[in-house]
Amino acid sequence: MTTRDIVFTAVGAVTALSALLSVTTKHVVHAALWLLVSLGSLAGAYLVLGQELVGLVQLLVYVGAIVVLVLFALMLTRAPIGPHAEIDTPWWQRFAGALLGAATAVLLASLLLPFFSGATADLDTRPSATPQIAQAVFGTWVWPFELLSVLLLVALIGAFAVSRLVIGDSGAGRGAGDGDRAVAGGTPAVGEGRGAAAHGAAAVTPGHTGGDRT
């Protein structure tokens, strides 16, 4: 076993462990951070295999954009961060999800592993496909690439608009709640009501006092 094999095994173990923690933790921010670690470790696995372009795309697109969008969505929508009783799933749903995930992993492994059982790769003398990929992305697929970036920008602007609407509705609800509490607090006494009315009248029409005396 070479040094490259040891590094690849360690990076793969970190990727698998952080992915497992990202779907098992009950803290949403912790789940996003564990997902960040998992995607970053996967980029390290690509670098170990000699695919620098794929590793850099993994860092830029997934680590630098997707996880940041997830964190912005959590902050803008004011979602519950920690464990919440109303959205917590029972144990049997978590067990069923884990069972289905394990069954899917076994099925994919049984289908894909026979295709790569005898395959070998020479990582020392590999052809560089970076110019071909760059020519395809910025030549043939440049317009779909730009349309995808515009779509992501529109989604981000829509998230800001929706968050402002939610904040405005909650502020109006708080104002109505304050008025209801003021009404429910009870009416003031008769003397207090007359004093408040006189004070309000004097504050509204201060210039008519001299004319009343005459």
Side-chain angles (χ1 to χ4, degrees):
M1 181 177 286
T2 61
T3 305
R4 181 177 293 171
D5 296 333
I6 296 174
V7 173
F8 181 78
T9 303
V11 172
V14 172
T15 303
L17 182 60
S18 56
L20 182 63
L21 290 173
S22 67
V23 298
T24 54
T25 182
K26 293 185 178 181
H27 202 284
V28 182
V29 178
H30 292 174
L33 293 178
W34 282 120
L35 180 61
L36 177 67
V37 174
S38 178
L39 296 176
S41 302
L42 186 60
Y46 290 144
L47 292 177
V48 172
L49 292 176
Q51 299 296 325
E52 293 85 3
L53 179 63
V54 182
L56 291 176
V57 170
Q58 176 80 13
L59 288 176
L60 291 176
V61 175
Y62 290 98
V63 177
I66 301 300
V67 177
V68 173
L69 284 177
V70 169
L71 293 176
F72 267 105
L74 291 176
M75 291 185 291
L76 289 175
T77 56
R78 295 184 179 181
I81 300 300
H84 202 276
E86 296 181 357
I87 60 176
D88 194 10
T89 55
W91 66 269
W92 61 271
Q93 290 186 3
R94 293 194 295 268
F95 178 76
L99 186 61
L100 289 175
T104 305
V106 171
L107 180 61
L108 289 176
S110 63
L111 289 176
L112 295 178
L113 286 179
F115 291 101
F116 301 99
S117 58
T120 58
D122 190 4
L123 300 178
D124 295 327
T125 59
R126 63 185 184 280
S128 177
T130 303
Q132 290 81 4
I133 295 175
Q135 185 178 1
V137 170
F138 296 103
T140 306
W141 302 99
V142 61
W143 289 113
F145 186 78
E146 294 297 330
L147 288 177
L148 182 61
S149 63
V150 172
L151 179 63
L152 292 175
L153 180 61
V154 170
L156 185 60
I157 295 173
F160 275 107
V162 171
S163 66
R164 289 179 64 86
L165 288 176
V166 171
I167 292 173
D169 293 339
S170 62
R174 285 196 299 270
D178 294 338
D180 295 337
R181 285 194 297 270
V183 171
T187 58
V190 177
E192 294 176 357
R194 290 176 180 174
H199 179 71
V204 172
T205 58
H208 291 80
T209 56
D212 293 340
R213 286 197 298 268
T214 59

